[in-house]
Amino acid sequence: MNFTRWSARLPGTQRRAAARSDRGSVPAARGESGQHPDPENDPATGAASAPGASEAPNPPALEDLSLREIVRQLPALVALLYGPDHRVAYVNDAYVAAFGPRTTGAPAATELPELEELGLLPLMDQVLRSGTSRTVKSRRTPKGGSYTVTCTPLDTPDGGGVLVFAADVTDHADAAERLRAAERRQRETAVTLQRSLLPQELEQPDDLRLAATYQPGGKDAAVGGDWYDVITLGAGRTALVIGDVMGRGVRAAAVMGQLRTAVRAYARLDLPPHEVLQLLDGLAAEIDASQIATCVYAVHDPNEGRLVYASAGHLPILVRHEDGMVSRAEDHTGPPLGTGGWMHTSGTIGLPPGSTAVLYTDGLVERRREDIDEGVAALERALSGATGTPQVVCDRLMRALGITTDHDDDVAVLVVQHPSRKGHDAELFRNAALDLLGGIEAAPRARAFATGVLSSWRFPTELRDLGVLATSELVANSLQHGTPPMRLRLRRTDRRLIIEVTDGDDHLPRRRRADPGDEAGRGISIVATIASSWGSRRTPGGGKAVWCEFALPD
């Protein structure tokens, strides 16, 4: 194979040769002998060269250099192939050092197996057919080397050929892989932290059925700060929380963990939803003023059949009713947490028996180049037809909204169902209430009422007696320290007996140690001793509720 003939057909070679011919003809036109003029005696210079000055060497002309020698010394790998089966015409020293000597004239499929390992044989076929160069980046061989390869078409006397030029980028590829591995470890750390801060197992209230799903963004997306929680408040009431820290990585997950812990602490105070968000707003600014978070805090009371909620910049709660109609909680949304200066308010949305509520983060409904309201509308349509258990509804909503493992954002979904109970199941969930009218005679009426109700619910004698005693103490405490209106409420579920007394005074009772000679101050201590749990809270519009619970025997 005549390598000089090949070099003359490289793209652009003819133009460069013509340019050199034009430049080379100028001296011949100016000098009679065709030699370059002597700068020391040339009158055009106006002066002779300075004594002792060395003559500048003339640069070598390209035609004086051997293309074979240039290509042989290149650090890049070069192979020259010809014909439809890509027979070997030439490989340079760098190629031989990388893959060993090669026999010319043999087809590349058998003589250059490394080209097949790099997936270049089909590429060279395309180059021959199209006459267009192709480049592939960072192709790795089975031995671990990485190469960026350019295949260039050439015209040869024997037909088409391909010049293969490969740069060894193994060091760069290894560095990039180490960087990717470090990023994977960091993401795994953030995901592990995120999951460890979420509830490992959801609390399951007596009156509700719940399921939640958290899915981190795909491998190219840093984990965010989405979270959810379910908190039992006592007396059958349940707090539902979902939020989103607007950030990525470990930092966002850490802020999320602090906010979730704070929400659980504030929930134990049994405050109205807007007061919980008010406290959380101030804390968020102290934790990290640069991190903005959204949150919805809602409370379900089985006696009211609704959710009382407050929202800090979060997406609206959706409720699917038993007939398939979907309603949206629109009002009572303030700015995100951490902005400060906003007085949050509470709103309500119905959650009657047979309905399903969905709380979610923006990853479920937000899409690029699409208004988020369109995503919420799509979720409403999906929810209207979603039936089954809470976990089934979760899965169906994720599928309907196109959430896959490659999704570019975190997604958290909390599904809450208020079951519609019938038959024997309904017998396990009963309510009874008595308005406490009059003076001291209200106490014996309350004891008689509790005795009759607990007997009709077929409780064991011991549990019935404890329930009557707790009723007596709570009513006596309300009569002594409270103000009208007063009300006694008894409630049973499949797991517990709940006794609650409300009145118009907002001073919450506290348990205190009574001296042996004290005639008062023992009521709450007695209740706390005999009941599984007890508590108190302020009620909307003023007043308070004091309650206790007894676990039912298996």
Side-chain angles (χ1 to χ4, degrees), residues 19 38 52 65 154 216 413-414 450 457 472 515:
D38 185 353
L65 300 176
L154 299 175
V413 181
L414 177 61
W457 289 348
S472 178
D515 293 330

Side-chain angles (χ1 to χ4, degrees), residues 150-205:
T150 298
C151 297
T152 303
L154 299 175
D155 292 330
T156 72
D158 302 316
V162 177
L163 177 68
V164 178
F165 184 93
D168 189 339
V169 294
T170 304
D171 291 343
H172 297 286
D174 291 346
E177 181 57 36
R178 288 194 295 270
L179 178 60
R180 286 191 292 268
E183 290 175 344
R184 285 194 299 269
R185 288 193 297 270
Q186 184 179 20
R187 183 178 184 278
E188 289 168 0
T189 300
V191 170
T192 301
L193 175 61
Q194 172 87 347
R195 291 193 182 279
S196 67
L197 294 174
L198 291 173
Q200 302 306 300
E201 184 176 351
L202 284 181
E203 297 182 28
Q204 293 291 338

